[in-house]
Amino acid sequence: MLSSREIRQQFLDFFKSKGHTIVPSSPVIPFDDPTLLFTNAGMNQFKDVFLGLGTREYKRAANTQKCIRVSGKHNDLEEVGFDTYHHTFFEMLGNWSFGDYYKKEAIQWAWELLTEVWKLPKERLFATVYQTDDEAFNCWKTLTDINPEHILRFGEKDNFWEMGDTGPCGPCSEIHINLSDNPDDASLVNAGSPLCIEIWNLVFIQYNRLPDGSLEQLKDKFVDTGMGFERICAVLQNKNSNYDTDIFTPLIRKIEEITGKKYDSETNQIAMRVIADHIRTLTFAIADGALPSNEGRGYVLRRILRRASRFARKLEIHEPIIYKIVPTLVETMGDVFPEIKQNQKQVEEVIKAEEESFSETLDRGLEIFDSIIEKLKAENSKVISGEDAFKLYDTYGFPLDLTELMAREIGFTVDKQRFEELMEEQRTRSRETKKFFGAPAIVGKIDTSNLKKVEFLGYDKLDAEGKVVAQENDLIVLDQTPFYGEAGGQVGDTGKIIYDNYLIDVVDTQREGDLIIHKVDKIDFDLMDKTVKAVVDKLRRKAIMRNHSATHLIHKALREILGTHVKQAGSLVEPSRLRFDFTHYKKLSKEEIEAIEHLVNEKIRESLPLIHHRNIPFEEAKKMGALMFFGDKYGDRVNVVQFGDYSMEFCGGTHVSNTSEIGLLKITSEGSISSGIRRIEAVTGEGVEKFIDEQLQKLNELSEKYEQLLEEKLKLEKEIATLKLQEKIKELDTFLANKKQIDGFVIVSGIVQVDNMDQLKELGDVLREKLRNGVGLLASTFDNKVSFVCVVTDNLIKEKKLNAGKIVGEVAKLVGGGGGGRPHLATAGGKDISKLNEALNQFELIIKKTIQN
Ligand code: SER
């Protein structure tokens, strides 16, 4: 049996032998085509060639193309899981002719590959052609040995292929295989039967569908074919289902393993097919730079993941598991599509985070859904209201199609129209809130109908003359200006517009299509048609340029240090700081941040010159390998900003002419802004100076604070010591109450708990005061030994020749130690704590002995 790997290779080898250049798959995110959310066919990357806007070095090409069909004209999402041959992600094997061969060769070669190389049973193959396409009909009839009864004509729905609502299109001829018991049953063709499926579509592109719906004849004729790789593998591997081929079985086995369920019952099979399919879409899309979000393609991905999560619930799984299948997918496809291997970690992290955040609300949402259904059943209704669907969406994150899917499963429908109305109301609300908070709302305030593209002079000059071509309240448009209108994250310029003796402050500059609009302090005189001088605030602009160029260096450094999965996800360039958002799955370590900063500063010191490629064709820029920002749309002609041979990016912004002008870069913060997206903030040039000053100032303040605290600490410690001593002094009174009277004076002894000798001595002093006429002995245990202090009042030193040093020396001997000191106060110590009481008992005797001697 041929493996899928061999089948893919045989297709490419076959067309190589027919003079085709094998080209790589383009990413599933068509960053340069605003009409598409995802790449939906192999021909997408050649759209410019079909439309006569671009050329290639070859006239024939073939490849395997990663496709996603989940939105727009080609959307297979609803079918996926329920049948065995639709996918949201699939590979399309294709061959193309750009004004070279046409219908004859396309049909002959398709037939040759299918029936001679792969030996498919001819008697089971059908060819369909567009109803009026006699040429294709005759090619099949005369150039192949297909059963002529198997050549069928169909209408526009089945045999006229279009890329989207607009774009290249043309009649097509499809090849179907009938695997039913009756190979001649033509009624199964295009009837949605799993036993008779389309495997290859040969499109003869000759028109461009225009936005008004009309067809425009193209200059050349093209062949664009597409074969469903998963389907042809199922046919060649004799499987009834694409999911039984070696493309999917590793994924299904993995899902069985993780869920502990078998791919047996219908419920399990549907759920596992959905998950196996959706993980491919998610992995390839995220690896190519898309991220789940609340808008556009990001929202499509979110919907797909939520659909998969919900099917995991059908397998009784309540925790995130979908991300766990990524490694298996990478094992099976990572060598053909290395990008998924390179970005594996990021893909896993993003999916896991999404699963986690949804799973919190999913179970609760499912409960709410059930209660809605209960309520409807009681009311004998089968329509979920727009309000309920909206609540599920708004509160529990259920995309409309998920609610619809669940409704359909139990024979209910959703009031979609009301749902859309509620959505629209919400959008309006959020727009109004934005307006209220002063988001740029220049749109609509100025009549732009007769205005020509404004020439931007600000790459080379910061002041220039221009003629006022529009003036409206506080908005002024000149025919040419050095002012940069906010775009690509770089904020708009400020400065002055000067006319005669009037100096008018420009407080912001915005862009509106081809226009650059100066927002000024309101003026009440007419400048229309006047020639004025526009002067940009130079210091501010230079600071902005430093920060903008620095973001390019950071972008490149991030990719060098963290890996090429890092992609720009947004940026803000202001005079005082810069902000750079990028895809990465975990917090940057201190070392990584240092390495990035160091690398950027090295590139600053290397004084890399700016090479500014202005207004070059998009294709050329792409070929040069310039980095792109996925969120941006690019026109036919673009600017590329290059620093030495280090960094190269698509960019319309303004930049320093040499990296050394940046001065120095300092990263001031790093953090997460949403799942899989991190943000770096940094300062450059003067900003660093300011930053250092601020830091030093803080440091000074801190060290002053520290001194203060230290002083306070010492003071407090002293206070505590005094308080403690006072407590102990109270204990002395107890000892005094138990004093003994001998020979005309008193003796007092006791055990106190203190921490060191100093404290003990201090207590000794106090005791001595209180004794007036006597001898005192205090003992304490600290540092694993016994310590004593002995005190003798002055009168006894004189009259009785008592000596504290001698006494304490004798006492200490009893605990295995010794000591001594002056006659009025002396300390001593010993190791044998167990003998302490005995020693105290001997105190009186020792004094008596001393007196006798
Ligand atoms: N563009 C056609 C399709 O998608 C043939 O490649 O079916």
Side-chain angles (χ1 to χ4, degrees), residues 687-714:
V688 179
E689 222 178 293
K690 216 171 134 218
F691 180 75
I692 293 177
D693 283 348
E694 281 166 9
Q695 296 300 309
L696 284 178
Q697 166 102 15
K698 267 189 209 156
L699 203 63
N700 276 338
E701 283 168 14
L702 279 178
S703 81
E704 267 168 36
K705 193 107 201 139
Y706 174 78
E707 294 287 333
Q708 251 176 30
L709 284 174
L710 206 64
E711 231 167 75
E712 264 167 43
K713 179 174 175 267
L714 288 176

Side-chain angles (χ1 to χ4, degrees), residues 111-124:
W111 190 250
E112 185 185 331
L113 177 62
L114 293 179
T115 63
E116 283 170 38
V117 179
W118 284 337
K119 309 233 170 330
L120 291 188
K122 291 175 188 171
E123 65 283 4
R124 291 190 176 275

Side-chain angles (χ1 to χ4, degrees), residues 222-471:
F222 306 92
V223 171
D224 154 38
T225 91
M227 169 150 56
F229 175 60
E230 295 73 9
R231 291 184 182 182
I232 195 69
C233 286
V235 171
L236 291 171
Q237 294 181 354
N238 266 319
K239 306 289 184 195
N240 291 329
S241 155
N242 294 0
Y243 294 89
D244 292 338
T245 65
D246 63 348
I247 304 169
F248 281 99
T249 46
L251 300 178
I252 301 278
R253 293 292 90 80
K254 183 72 187 178
I255 298 169
E256 287 184 326
E257 182 199 312
I258 306 174
T259 59
K261 294 270 188 272
K262 284 270 147 236
Y263 186 64
D264 46 18
S265 70
E266 200 188 352
T267 316
N268 288 3
Q269 286 186 344
I270 291 177
M272 290 191 188
R273 287 198 291 258
V274 167
I275 297 170
D277 172 90
H278 289 9
I279 190 62
R280 299 198 330 145
T281 298
L282 292 164
T283 301
F284 278 90
I286 296 168
D288 276 346
L291 283 170
S293 72
N294 266 338
E295 273 167 7
R297 67 172 65 99
Y299 189 54
V300 175
L301 292 183
R302 182 159 281 172
R303 274 160 48 205
I304 289 175
L305 190 117
R306 294 188 170 184
R307 195 170 185 264
S309 280
R310 190 265 170 170
F311 276 97
R313 288 295 192 283
K314 294 233 155 184
L315 299 170
E316 293 169 37
I317 298 295
H318 292 259
E319 65 273 17
I321 55 142
I322 294 162
Y323 77 97
K324 292 186 185 161
I325 313 163
V326 175
T328 310
L329 179 59
V330 169
E331 266 163 46
T332 52
M333 297 183 79
D335 55 342
V336 185
F337 301 102
E339 62 275 19
I340 62 171
K341 199 184 260 167
Q342 277 155 20
N343 296 295
Q344 177 175 347
K345 197 93 216 213
Q346 156 97 354
V347 172
E348 285 176 28
E349 295 282 336
V350 169
I351 294 179
K352 185 170 173 216
E354 271 291 304
E355 283 190 85
E356 275 166 359
S357 75
F358 184 46
S359 105
E360 282 161 24
T361 48
L362 178 55
D363 288 317
R364 182 88 191 101
L366 290 174
E367 267 171 42
I368 302 290
F369 180 85
D370 287 341
S371 69
I372 293 170
I373 297 300
E374 284 313 308
K375 184 185 78 190
L376 290 177
K377 276 184 182 155
E379 291 164 5
N380 244 333
S381 158
K382 288 199 161 230
V383 186
I384 298 174
S385 71
E387 277 78 6
D388 281 337
F390 186 75
K391 178 168 143 202
L392 282 167
Y393 162 80
D394 205 33
T395 317
Y396 301 101
F398 279 38
L400 178 65
D401 41 19
L402 182 56
T403 305
E404 281 189 305
L405 171 89
M406 296 189 333
R408 212 170 30 242
E409 281 174 357
I410 48 171
F412 279 60
T413 56
V414 180
D415 182 352
K416 231 167 128 168
Q417 196 184 330
R418 180 69 190 131
F419 175 88
E420 293 299 346
E421 277 168 24
L422 291 167
M423 279 296 282
E424 191 48 43
E425 279 171 24
Q426 196 190 45
R427 272 183 222 123
T428 313
R429 272 197 304 275
S430 87
R431 260 199 304 272
E432 276 164 3
T433 324
K434 263 192 209 148
K435 239 192 232 159
F436 185 75
F437 286 107
I442 282 177
V443 200
K445 278 217 218 149
I446 203 155
D447 179 13
T448 55
S449 46
N450 291 316
L451 297 180
K452 287 208 217 56
K453 182 179 165 74
V454 175
E455 197 183 340
F456 176 59
L457 307 171
Y459 291 129
D460 309 303
K461 319 183 199 178
L462 294 182
D463 47 55
E465 289 195 337
K467 201 174 100 182
V468 177
V469 292
Q471 177 186 359

Side-chain angles (χ1 to χ4, degrees), residues 40-43 69 92 96 161 198 201-203 224-227:
N40 66 8
M43 51 74 71
R69 289 192 169 177
M92 185 186 282
W96 292 276
W161 194 85
E198 171 210 338
N201 186 11
L202 319 178
V203 185
D224 154 38
T225 91
M227 169 150 56

Side-chain angles (χ1 to χ4, degrees), residues 535-554:
V535 184
V536 174
D537 178 340
K538 294 191 182 62
L539 288 180
R540 182 175 177 276
R541 161 70 97 72
K542 287 202 167 143
I544 294 173
M545 300 201 300
R546 280 195 291 271
N547 282 338
H548 200 159
S549 301
T551 61
H552 287 211
L553 298 183
I554 289 179

Side-chain angles (χ1 to χ4, degrees), residues 201-235:
N201 186 11
L202 319 178
V203 185
F204 310 115
I205 289 194
Q206 33 182 299
Y207 306 107
N208 179 22
R209 177 78 71 190
L210 298 174
D212 66 3
S214 64
L215 288 176
E216 171 191 62
Q217 184 84 37
L218 296 173
K219 280 194 213 77
D220 260 320
K221 290 204 165 72
F222 306 92
V223 171
D224 154 38
T225 91
M227 169 150 56
F229 175 60
E230 295 73 9
R231 291 184 182 182
I232 195 69
C233 286
V235 171

